[in-house]
Amino acid sequence: MKFKTAEIITGIIFLLYSALYIFWITPTYVTNALNDSSIQTIAWTLRPEALPNLNIGAFIFFTCIMIIQATRSKVDELVELSFNSSFKLLFIIACSFIYVALLPIFGFLTISPLFMLILVYTLGLRDWRYIIGISLVMPFLMDFFFYQGFQIILPEGQLWK
Amino acid sequence: MKKIKIIKNIGCILGIVISMGLMANTGLAGKFPTKPIRVIVPTGPGGSTDVTSRLVASVVHQYLGQPMIVMLKGGAAGTIGMAATMAEKADGYTLVFGTGNHTSIVPHVRKVTYDSLNDFIPVFKVNNDPYLIISRSDRFKNFKQLIDEMKANPGKISFGSNGLYGNGHSMILKIELDAKVKFKHVPFKGGGPAIRSMLGGHVDTAGGLFASAGTLGRYKNGSVNILGIAAEKRDKLAPDVPTFREQGVDFVYQLWRGFMAKKGTPQDRIDIIVDALSKTMKDKTFLRLMKAVGSPPNPLHGKEFKNMILAEHKQFGAIFKQVGVTKK
Amino acid sequence: MEIIDQIIQGMSLYFTFKAVLMVGIGVAAGILVGAIPGISGVMATAILVPFSFFMPPTEGIPFLLGLHKGALFGDSIPAILINTPGQPAAAATALDGYPLAKKGEAKSGIQMALVSSTIGDTFSDIVLILAAVPLAALALKFGPAEFFALMLMGLTIIGGITGSSAAKGILSALIGIMIGLVGFDAVTGAERYTFGIPILQGGVGTIPLMIGLFAVSEVLIQAEKSNKLLSKRPDTAHLKGGKNLKLKEVKTSTRTIIRSSILGTIIGAIPGTGAAIATFIGYGAAKRASKKPEEFGKGSYEGVAASEAANSAVAGADLIPTLTLGIPGSATAAILMGAFLAQGLRPGPELFEANGATMYAIFALLLIGNPIMIVVGWVLTPIFARVVTVRQSLLVPAVLLLCLMGVYVYRGNLADIQVALIVGVFGYLLRKIDIPLAPLVIAFIITPIAERSMKQALILSDGDFSVFLTRPISAGFLLVAVAILYFGFRRKTKNKKSE
């Protein structure tokens, strides 16, 4: 994909998001959990949605400028986005989310070596001495350091309690 | 369980003997407590609640036989830390170190997933500080002058609070109700900035404690006046300052700090904790440190502590109801 | 001469070999702690303060002062080595430090940070000793209107660091404002953009945002490379972190270091502004004044010096309101104040009357801590710099694990890790289309302070906007802001014409 195409696509996504922000997100997600009569009479400058509205206006304006600049641009660079690397990145992110989800169940010391092992392997290292070494040393060192140094307890597994 | 054992062995080989030693205790049966007790502090680092909890923890292990580990879980006015306590087992190994703000004010004005009165057992109050209203000494001499000026210029006298519907704001809401006046409320992020603005003359009055931002020292050298004190009796630190009740405002609020446990914690375990904490309160080192920090211990536990929280919760409930602030 | 008596008395009490040793240990501990992303100086001081309670004051306070100094410099180490600023203030350091490390000059980059950090710190310590009282009086003059004007002026200075395209830089800042608006509104209590997630009620956490935006996105950028490249030793590994810093590089940055030290000290003396804003202002001002502004962001020693000198100058100045007013200027200062209290020193107006001798000894220790920091830092730097010789397939997972746990430790909440991961993916996409991240961070930090002080000023003035112009300090700041915008614009159009 050409760089300027990417810029234009980003610009369009930003504009779509702005529309969503104005018509749905701000009206739905700027709410007050209290019935508070003093808020009804407050000046508009103090209202919670004053700054967000101002901000999104500026955002739309500068997005348009970016799009215009992109269409005029003569730079012919390409964005590096290969299918292979995108798949690898998605896998790493997915692993991280699963890791966070499993932390409270299995605990830091059990699940972290596995997480490290998968990541190191995914990034292409095949020397098992290194892989197992770092996967074990790193989490244990961290646990030791955090607890002994700072009395901070890293997530413990509910399963073992 | 085998997997854990293997991991533990490797850990020992790696030389992590001490840390593992502590954790290995968990499996052994014995007299409570057999492993470290965690204390969730629902605030950020460095505040008076955090400091007090660490002071207690640094002494109480002598009497408890196990370390007490402070875990900061701040955010969302303490509701995250309180909710995190509810997610733990009610086995006495997890306590929460909260304040009156967490049990008695926040539940009235924030969405919370717990019942601050019934889901927690008040275990032990460590100390308390009365809430004050302060002004520069060249601004107001006493409470009467403040009220008179407010009646003459409604909505012109400003008050810097530590946050919307926080301790300070709740105090002026009650003053407004009882004295029939109106403040110009300016919320700050924390009590320190509010007092700083008051000293700089940007706001007329501010709320705070004796220990906060050098207030006691300033009162003693005459640069600020304490106009009222939210206690039942006058305070030894400033015996000249009349209480709010003496001045026609029925408001008592001692910002206390204390331990609470999740509902369902066995009473015998609570008794052991209370016993250790009671001994801590008499510990010489602890007394010296607390005196230096400016808030000597004032222990309370059991039914009296619970009743105090109930009364406080009721008072703030009534204030917010009268003002017309209710949860949707 | 009572003062001289007091100084001698204080020296004999505090200025012992043991006290100096404790400063050294504190500095070393601070550097180590600061070097871990996520564990900030604030957290480290908070956790270690109780230990000082049980030391005699002659050891406990020197230890904490050393820790305070060391942690500030320590934050710059991961920023330079692995593009992971653990603190917003170190984000400006990463802008130039990381490109330096990529060029194989990690060691000299860290040494530059160390030297400029120490100079900035020394400068602000001297100011603290000589002018604490008048500066504290100045700090009190800062009301809501002044804060707002200062924030606006800061934004215009920082506006110079937008990168290649001004529109993209501004867009980045606007996104930063959008994120900064999340959480409870200070004045009405309205919940904004929290989507019912409790952890967002107080706003997106600074540490999750920082770690996500810089560290997680960097992990993704690195992971994108081919596996063959990742499991090979880095090309620059044979340099072992590169050469030592040359005197020439320090000399060419002298003006920058002095400018940043002054800016950092002034901004640091105003409680509640924070090191991050001072650092970015120092960096922005240096870029504007530099003879080689085009090198900024591509590995300029001047850039590292500008941000680190400002960052550390805040540390000494931070203590000005803390010691003289008893009102801490930052979270770290608040914790130090707690430690002072526990040792029987009562910060506030009466401190110098009651504890004059002790205070002068503390000042002396603050000063002596700076050469100690150079020594300790210089010894530790080569060890840290070895990180660049580790193959990426080992380094990247280790960094990710450390960062994710750093985010957890920040306030013990796993939801923060999820926030960091989401922000990380977002930051990666922004970097792909060349939207700079620095304006986002600084706008994110400024937004809550600016919005709150603007609304406070308007409440106090009953909605009258003229308050920002009628108050002299505030009007002065706004004037400077307009001047910066005007000259910046004129330079740009001139440049275009000359092309």
Side-chain angles (χ1 to χ4, degrees):
Chain A
M1 185 165 35
K2 271 187 190 166
F3 189 75
K4 61 187 224 182
T5 327
E7 275 182 318
I8 294 169
I9 292 175
T10 313
I12 292 168
I13 293 173
F14 278 2
L15 287 180
L16 289 175
Y17 174 73
S18 306
L20 200 71
Y21 193 84
I22 294 170
F23 295 109
W24 183 60
I25 300 180
T26 301
T28 323
Y29 290 107
V30 178
T31 53
N32 206 314
L34 298 173
N35 294 309
D36 185 344
S37 54
S38 64
I39 295 170
Q40 312 304 322
T41 54
I42 208 161
W44 73 268
T45 44
L46 299 180
R47 297 194 71 87
E49 61 275 8
L51 192 57
N53 286 341
L54 210 66
N55 187 49
I56 200 72
F59 187 73
I60 293 172
F61 178 76
F62 284 102
T63 304
C64 293
I65 289 189
M66 185 178 80
I67 295 175
I68 293 166
Q69 280 178 347
T71 50
R72 285 178 174 181
S73 155
K74 295 183 188 83
V75 188
D76 252 358
E77 271 175 65
L78 293 176
V79 185
E80 303 159 41
L81 259 181
S82 68
F83 178 74
N84 258 342
S85 70
S86 323
F87 182 75
K88 192 162 74 175
L89 296 192
L90 281 177
F91 181 73
I92 291 174
I93 286 294
C95 276
S96 308
F97 273 106
I98 295 169
Y99 169 66
V100 178
L102 293 181
L103 265 179
I105 306 168
F106 293 98
F108 176 79
L109 273 183
T110 321
I111 199 93
S112 300
L114 195 67
F115 177 61
M116 286 287 288
L117 198 128
I118 292 172
L119 283 190
V120 177
Y121 188 86
T122 313
L123 292 181
L125 197 72
R126 289 296 178 272
D127 187 332
W128 284 100
R129 286 169 308 169
Y130 276 112
I131 298 181
I132 297 194
I134 187 114
S135 307
L136 287 177
V137 169
M138 187 72 191
F140 276 98
L141 217 61
M142 275 172 67
D143 187 74
F144 175 73
F145 187 77
F146 278 78
Y147 187 74
Q148 291 303 326
F150 303 106
Q151 297 227 314
I152 292 172
I153 301 170
L154 294 175
E156 306 156 281
Q158 292 291 343
L159 210 61
W160 321 122
K161 269 192 181 171
Chain B
M1 288 309 281
K2 205 170 183 185
K3 195 172 179 185
I4 281 202
K5 227 174 192 173
I6 293 167
I7 290 169
K8 270 182 189 163
N9 287 337
I10 298 167
C12 292
I13 294 160
L14 284 168
I16 312 174
V17 188
I18 317 158
S19 124
M20 288 302 118
L22 280 169
M23 290 199 168
N25 276 339
T26 53
L28 301 171
K31 196 172 162 284
F32 175 87
T34 55
K35 57 178 182 176
I37 290 183
R38 288 94 207 271
V39 175
I40 293 178
V41 177
T43 66
S48 62
T49 312
D50 176 31
V51 170
T52 310
S53 71
R54 288 181 196 280
L55 281 170
V56 175
S58 62
V59 176
V60 74
H61 64 88
Q62 302 168 19
Y63 304 105
L64 206 54
Q66 283 289 342
M68 190 177 255
I69 298 170
V70 173
M71 298 168 83
L72 291 180
K73 285 190 194 285
T79 55
I80 288 179
M82 298 289 276
T85 314
M86 290 305 296
E88 297 289 333
K89 273 190 189 146
D91 56 3
Y93 285 108
T94 308
L95 302 174
V96 61
F97 189 74
T99 71
N101 186 34
H102 300 127
T103 56
S104 314
I105 300 182
V106 169
H108 292 296
V109 288
R110 292 269 174 120
K111 264 182 268 172
V112 289
T113 52
Y114 50 83
D115 175 349
S116 69
L117 295 181
N118 298 319
D119 285 348
F120 294 93
I121 306 169
V123 176
F124 197 91
K125 186 191 81 173
V126 174
N127 63 357
N128 53 268
D129 291 309
Y131 224 76
L132 315 168
I133 182 163
I134 317 160
S135 84
R136 258 163 61 151
S137 49
D138 53 6
R139 188 71 187 86
F140 294 110
K141 289 269 162 293
N142 49 42
F143 196 67
K144 189 174 172 299
Q145 189 193 353
L146 170 73
I147 298 294
D148 288 347
E149 245 183 75
M150 271 202 286
K151 284 197 168 145
N153 313 292
K156 290 287 174 213
I157 307 297
S158 53
F159 175 86
S161 79
N162 60 336
L164 191 77
Y165 300 127
N167 302 319
H169 192 192
S170 311
M171 171 173 75
I172 60 162
L173 286 176
K174 183 66 175 163
I175 298 177
E176 286 179 351
L177 286 171
D178 285 8
K180 311 238 168 359
V181 287
K182 189 81 193 147
F183 277 98
K184 186 187 273 183
H185 173 232
V186 186
F188 284 82
K189 195 180 173 86
I195 292 180
R196 190 182 68 229
S197 275
M198 181 270 294
L199 292 173
H202 308 288
V203 293
D204 299 311
T205 56
L209 312 170
F210 280 122
S212 55
T215 298
L216 186 61
R218 275 200 192 81
Y219 168 71
K220 281 190 174 153
N221 76 12
S223 58
V224 300
N225 281 339
I226 299 172
L227 307 175
I229 175 168
E232 286 175 1
K233 286 193 297 249
R234 293 191 179 199
D235 202 285
K236 277 190 293 230
L237 292 170
D240 298 338
V241 178
T243 65
F244 278 126
R245 281 194 178 154
E246 287 176 50
Q247 316 190 70
V249 175
D250 184 22
F251 183 68
V252 173
Y253 183 47
Q254 299 261 4
L255 187 74
W256 54 266
R257 304 173 191 90
F259 293 91
M260 286 168 286
K262 189 185 168 184
K263 173 186 67 178
T265 305
Q267 188 57 42
D268 54 328
R269 292 188 173 187
I270 290 181
D271 290 342
I272 291 171
I273 295 169
V274 167
D275 184 53
L277 284 168
S278 302
K279 284 177 184 153
T280 305
M281 297 299 129
K282 293 184 192 109
D283 185 280
K284 263 197 196 128
T285 322
F286 183 73
L287 284 171
R288 176 178 66 78
L289 291 170
M290 291 300 281
K291 204 173 162 235
V293 176
S295 183
N298 188 5
L300 195 69
H301 57 88
K303 220 174 173 89
E304 289 95 352
F305 185 23
K306 176 150 190 145
N307 289 341
M308 190 191 96
I309 297 177
L310 282 174
E312 207 178 68
H313 186 272
K314 210 172 125 194
Q315 165 178 285
F316 286 107
I319 293 175
F320 289 120
K321 203 173 164 194
Q322 266 183 288
V323 178
V325 174
T326 51
K327 280 203 282 186
K328 270 178 193 165
Chain C
M1 292 304 278
E2 204 192 340
I3 290 185
I4 292 175
D5 266 1
Q6 280 193 333
I7 294 176
I8 294 170
Q9 196 193 339
M11 293 285 170
S12 58
L13 198 69
Y14 272 77
F15 212 74
T16 58
F17 173 71
K18 223 174 180 178
V20 176
L21 184 73
M22 288 314 284
V23 174
I25 294 174
V27 167
I31 294 176
L32 289 175
V33 166
I36 301 170
I39 300 198
S40 57
V42 186
M43 175 83 60
T45 348
I47 292 160
L48 294 177
V49 153
F51 295 106
S52 80
F53 293 156
F54 299 96
M55 299 178 184
T58 47
E59 291 165 27
I61 288 181
F63 173 73
L64 286 173
L65 292 175
L67 187 77
H68 181 52
K69 278 177 189 295
L72 271 167
F73 160 64
D75 280 337
S76 71
I77 294 172
I80 292 170
L81 288 176
I82 46 179
N83 201 17
T84 302
Q87 283 300 302
T93 311
L95 291 178
D96 277 295
Y98 184 58
L100 273 178
K102 274 208 277 199
K103 277 197 269 179
E105 295 172 33
K107 196 152 103 192
S108 45
I110 299 178
Q111 284 164 344
M112 186 77 214
L114 176 65
V115 170
S116 43
S117 182
T118 313
I119 297 175
D121 201 342
T122 313
F123 178 83
S124 82
D125 289 345
I126 294 172
V127 173
L128 164 70
I129 295 167
L130 297 179
V133 177
L135 269 174
L138 178 76
L140 279 186
K141 293 238 181 329
F142 270 71
E146 285 78 11
F147 267 105
F148 178 66
L150 174 69
M151 292 298 134
L152 273 192
M153 188 194 79
L155 266 184
T156 54
I157 294 179
I158 295 156
I161 50 172
T162 48
S164 54
S165 150
K168 281 186 185 170
I170 296 170
L171 274 179
S172 166
L174 294 171
I175 296 171
I177 295 177
M178 232 179 264
I179 302 175
L181 286 169
V182 173
F184 271 106
D185 172 39
V187 173
T188 59
E191 220 174 298
R192 294 193 290 199
Y193 313 111
T194 59
F195 306 103
I197 302 164
I199 197 76
L200 293 181
Q201 286 187 350
V204 177
T206 317
I207 300 286
L209 183 99
M210 293 294 301
I211 298 276
L213 211 52
F214 289 93
V216 177
S217 79
E218 183 64 28
V219 161
L220 295 178
I221 296 257
Q222 294 301 335
E224 211 176 43
K225 292 182 191 157
S226 80
N227 279 355
K228 218 169 147 193
L229 206 64
L230 285 170
S231 26
K232 197 172 76 166
R233 277 184 170 269
D235 298 336
T236 50
H238 63 279
L239 298 172
K240 298 210 163 55
K243 55 185 178 21
N244 276 324
L245 185 69
K246 288 196 209 90
L247 196 62
K248 200 186 84 197
E249 281 140 0
V250 182
K251 268 188 183 157
T252 50
S253 308
T254 317
R255 284 168 65 100
T256 304
I257 294 177
I258 295 172
R259 187 189 317 103
S260 279
S261 302
I262 296 173
L263 285 170
T265 307
I266 295 173
I267 297 167
I270 304 161
T273 41
I277 292 165
T279 309
F280 273 97
I281 289 180
Y283 184 84
K287 190 180 176 186
R288 277 176 194 279
S290 172
K291 289 189 191 104
K292 298 175 193 158
E294 70 282 354
E295 278 184 16
F296 274 67
K298 292 177 190 129
S300 155
Y301 283 99
E302 224 183 322
V304 173
S307 61
E308 275 305 305
N311 181 15
S312 291
V314 173
D318 224 16
L319 293 176
I320 293 175
T322 315
L323 295 178
T324 52
L325 301 174
I327 299 171
S330 67
T332 321
I335 298 161
L336 282 177
M337 195 171 117
F340 280 20
L341 282 169
Q343 300 287 10
L345 301 173
R346 195 160 278 283
E350 74 271 43
L351 179 65
F352 286 85
E353 290 156 33
N355 306 89
T358 320
M359 282 323 294
Y360 287 106
I362 286 179
F363 286 157
L365 283 169
L366 268 177
L367 281 177
I368 199 87
N370 295 321
I372 293 178
M373 174 129 125
I374 284 271
V375 174
V376 176
W378 206 271
V379 172
L380 291 176
T381 301
I383 304 169
F384 283 115
R386 291 296 285 246
V387 165
V388 296
T389 66
V390 177
R391 58 193 83 200
Q392 299 256 293
S393 50
L394 287 175
L395 186 63
V396 169
V399 167
L400 185 62
L401 189 70
L402 199 57
C403 287
L404 296 186
M405 280 308 120
V407 171
Y408 170 76
V409 165
Y410 163 60
R411 52 183 173 190
N413 202 311
L414 288 166
D416 274 329
I417 306 187
Q418 289 165 337
V419 171
L421 287 171
I422 294 167
V423 171
V425 175
F426 182 64
Y428 167 79
L429 294 173
L430 290 185
R431 283 169 79 167
K432 276 277 135 179
I433 53 158
D434 258 356
I435 290 185
L437 300 180
L440 193 161
V441 170
I442 197 70
F444 166 78
I445 291 166
I446 283 184
T447 301
I449 309 177
E451 191 193 14
R452 181 187 285 264
S453 28
M454 185 192 82
K455 288 185 173 176
Q456 286 170 339
L458 287 175
I459 291 175
L460 284 167
S461 74
D462 295 313
D464 184 358
F465 273 95
S466 69
V467 37
F468 298 112
L469 299 172
T470 50
R471 298 178 66 100
I473 298 178
S474 158
F477 282 139
L478 292 180
L479 207 68
V480 175
V482 172
I484 291 171
L485 282 180
Y486 173 73
F487 287 115
F489 189 70
R490 217 173 64 165
R491 194 161 63 177
K492 217 162 200 177
T493 44
K494 243 187 198 168
N495 285 353
K496 260 191 188 155
K497 268 181 198 163
S498 61
E499 274 168 19

